């Protein structure tokens, strides 16, 4: 029997709670499928590790997960450690060297969930946001001079490379092509940012020629927020820079009902390195330890991991189980306006996997 080796990095806050739930669900699914199993290796990296050792992950940490089939990641961020340390010390320290340049964020309104948009019940909103995940505004280029003095200055330089832009746009076109509507929207801000963003527009035109069967259009990011809100049905696949897509994906998650549901995959499409799967929501320390975190984002993320592993049918089975559970409003956690706990939602999904006669 095939055994998938998964590196579990729960990280901080509710990351620990939702990854534990995700592992239970994945094990139940593997049992139900009977064709494969998971071997989870656990890594206690994150802010607690930082407080003990002064680093978010040990030296050589990446080597320890280099040969896993996938990485199942919770969240990073703690109230008493600066965010840029936790982010750069763990999440980006994995994403960037492992060249997980395609960050994929599907958004849909799951059964039983209400969008804050009136007139939007479900089918009108079915998107995948592709976020450039290796450079741009997150390239880490910049610096500070005259620190602490009145003359202090700081720069954050957004770095765009032709290779980096072309590969993410090509990835997005391929993804758009694989979806029924074959529709891609390319987001930039090339009216104000006249170098890197203009290069995006030019590369988009070039790459589009390889995909005559995909319809595409372009939007400026500010206008895009309006289109997402007022005309969600006109969008399908979306590609944007690291920062723009970061912002748009929070908007997308909110429009789909809750950040607690939204999944993400950090993909190295060439499979030279393992890809990493995480819920979007972050560590949410305001609710940590209360047992009320919504595990749905992690379960949906797990379906993306299954797809990536080539277990598409198992991924689809898990997605159906998730949707049967979201359809029951008694099983909504507080982020969705309900009273259910992480435990109850997890048990319900496991029962749904075990009981389903399909
Ligand atoms: C995300 C998050 C992160 C990001 C934070 C935690 C730094 O918002 O994955 O969308 O900006 O990349
Ligand atoms: Mg974000």
């Amino acid at each position: 029997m095939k055994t998938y080796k998964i590196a579990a990095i729960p990280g901080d806050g509710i990351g620990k709670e939702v990854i534990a739930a995700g592992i239970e669900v994945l094990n139940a699914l593997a049992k139900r499928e009977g064709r494969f199993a998971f071997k989870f290796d656990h890594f206690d990296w994150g802010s607690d590790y930082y407080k003990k050792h002064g680093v978010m992950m040990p030296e050589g940490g990446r080597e320890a997960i280099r040969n896993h089939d996938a990485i199942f990641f919770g969240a990073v961020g703690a109230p008493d450690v600066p965010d840029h340390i936790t982010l750069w010390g763990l999440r980006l320290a994995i994403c960037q060297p492992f060249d997980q340049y395609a960050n994929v964020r599907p958004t849909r309104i799951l059964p039983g969930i209400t969008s804050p948009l009136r007139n939007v019940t479900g089918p009108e909103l079915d998107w995948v946001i592709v976020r450039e995940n290796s450079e741009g505004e997150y390239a880490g280029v910049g610096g500070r001079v005259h620190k602490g003095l009145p003359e202090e200055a700081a720069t954050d330089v957004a770095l765009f490379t032709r290779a980096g832009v072309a590969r993410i746009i090509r990835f997005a076109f391929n993804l758009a092509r694989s979806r029924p509507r074959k529709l891609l929207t390319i987001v930039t801000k090339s009216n104000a940012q006249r170098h890197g963003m203009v290069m995006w527009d030019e590369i988009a035109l070039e790459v589009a020629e390889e995909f005559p069967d995909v319809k595409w259009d372009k939007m400026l990011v500010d206008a895009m927020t309006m289109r997402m809100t007022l005309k969600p049905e006109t969008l399908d696949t979306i590609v944007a820079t690291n920062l723009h897509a970061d912002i748009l994906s929070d908007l997308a998650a909110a429009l789909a009902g809750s950040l607690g549901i939204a999944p993400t995959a950090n993909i190295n499409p060439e499979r030279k390195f393992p890809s990493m799967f995480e819920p979007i929501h972050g560590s949410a320390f305001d609710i940590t330890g209360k047992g009320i975190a919504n595990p749905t984002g992690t379960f949906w993320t797990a379906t993306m991991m299954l797809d990536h592993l080539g277990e598409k049918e198992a991924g689809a089975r898990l997605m159906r189980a998730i949707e049967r559970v979201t359809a029951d409003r008694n099983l909504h956690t507080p982020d969705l306006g309900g009273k259910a706990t992480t435990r109850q939602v997890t048990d319900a999904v496991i029962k749904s996997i075990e009981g389903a006669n399909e």
Side-chain angles (χ1 to χ4, degrees):
M1 189 163 52
K2 172 96 191 137
T3 299
Y4 295 110
K5 238 178 96 185
I6 310 293
I9 309 177
D12 301 337
I14 62 168
K16 297 194 176 79
E17 300 164 38
V18 294
I19 289 299
I23 289 174
E24 281 186 56
V25 160
L26 280 167
N27 281 331
L29 183 74
K31 210 166 138 207
R32 170 73 171 75
E33 294 280 329
R35 293 175 294 106
F36 59 83
F38 293 105
K39 179 179 179 293
F40 290 96
D41 291 325
H42 298 265
F43 298 88
D44 62 349
W45 306 338
S47 298
D48 291 340
Y49 190 94
Y50 176 82
K51 285 176 210 160
K52 270 190 234 135
H53 305 280
V55 284
M56 294 288 290
M57 66 193 263
E59 206 182 313
R62 259 192 318 269
E63 272 315 297
I65 56 175
R66 168 86 176 74
N67 293 315
H68 282 73
D69 294 309
I71 304 163
F72 197 33
F73 190 89
V76 280
D80 48 356
V81 183
D83 283 339
H84 65 274
I85 291 185
T86 54
L87 175 67
W88 284 94
L90 190 58
R91 195 171 162 278
L92 292 181
I94 296 172
C95 284
Q96 295 197 345
F98 281 176
D99 209 16
Q100 296 164 348
Y101 63 83
N103 181 279
V104 182
R105 303 188 157 185
T107 312
R108 240 162 8 92
I109 300 174
L110 300 186
I113 298 197
T114 313
S115 168
L117 293 176
R118 54 171 202 275
N119 305 331
V120 171
T121 54
E124 304 85 353
L125 197 163
D126 183 353
W127 305 330
V128 187
I129 297 180
V130 177
R131 170 180 180 184
E132 200 297 316
N133 210 33
S134 68
E135 53 176 38
E137 309 86 345
Y138 284 57
V141 179
R144 283 171 78 169
V145 289
H146 309 312
K147 247 190 172 165
L149 298 174
E151 301 74 22
E152 182 164 2
T155 59
D156 276 297
V157 179
L159 182 94
F160 299 102
T161 63
R162 173 165 281 278
V165 175
R167 68 183 182 176
I168 198 65
I169 292 182
R170 194 167 282 119
F171 180 91
F173 265 106
N174 273 315
L175 183 62
R177 177 181 265 171
S178 75
R179 290 168 53 88
R181 292 175 70 191
K182 300 193 193 314
L183 174 63
L184 176 67
T185 300
I186 299 178
V187 179
T188 65
K189 184 65 189 171
S190 52
N191 54 349
Q193 296 181 296
R194 59 199 173 131
H195 308 296
M197 296 284 78
V198 173
M199 187 175 80
W200 265 72
D201 283 355
E202 289 169 11
I203 294 173
L205 267 173
E206 290 167 25
V207 176
E209 291 196 2
E210 299 165 24
F211 298 87
D213 53 327
V214 177
K215 284 192 290 292
W216 71 284
D217 57 14
K218 52 182 197 173
M219 289 295 291
L220 297 173
V221 66
D222 50 345
M224 184 66 175
T225 60
M226 290 206 293
R227 181 161 163 201
M228 288 168 72
T229 316
L230 301 177
K231 292 189 176 148
E233 71 287 353
T234 66
L235 296 163
D236 186 80
T237 308
I238 297 160
V239 62
T241 72
N242 215 329
L243 182 63
H244 290 166
D246 174 41
I247 298 165
L248 295 180
S249 60
D250 265 29
L251 174 61
L255 297 180
S258 169
L259 192 57
I261 291 172
T264 191
N266 301 282
I267 306 274
N268 172 247
E270 289 75 27
R271 294 174 186 260
K272 272 194 246 151
F273 299 97
S275 294
M276 181 158 89
F277 300 82
E278 56 172 338
I280 290 192
H281 52 60
S283 54
F285 26 84
D286 51 326
I287 58 160
T288 299
K290 295 189 177 158
I292 55 166
N294 190 347
T296 310
T298 300
F299 299 159
W300 191 346
T301 288
T303 72
M304 299 180 81
M305 186 164 89
L306 288 159
D307 283 356
H308 186 76
L309 294 171
E311 297 293 350
K312 289 208 182 341
E313 273 173 40
R317 185 194 298 283
L318 174 54
M319 200 66 219
R320 289 193 297 272
I322 294 168
E323 293 186 11
R324 280 192 291 270
V325 171
T326 60
D328 180 351
R329 284 173 213 254
N330 292 320
L331 290 169
H332 284 187
T333 41
D335 55 301
L336 293 170
K339 289 205 174 73
T341 62
T342 314
R343 185 71 264 155
Q344 286 168 326
V345 179
T346 307
D347 286 343
V349 171
I350 291 174
K351 237 174 90 191
S352 179
I353 292 167
E354 288 169 347
N357 225 350
E358 50 180 30

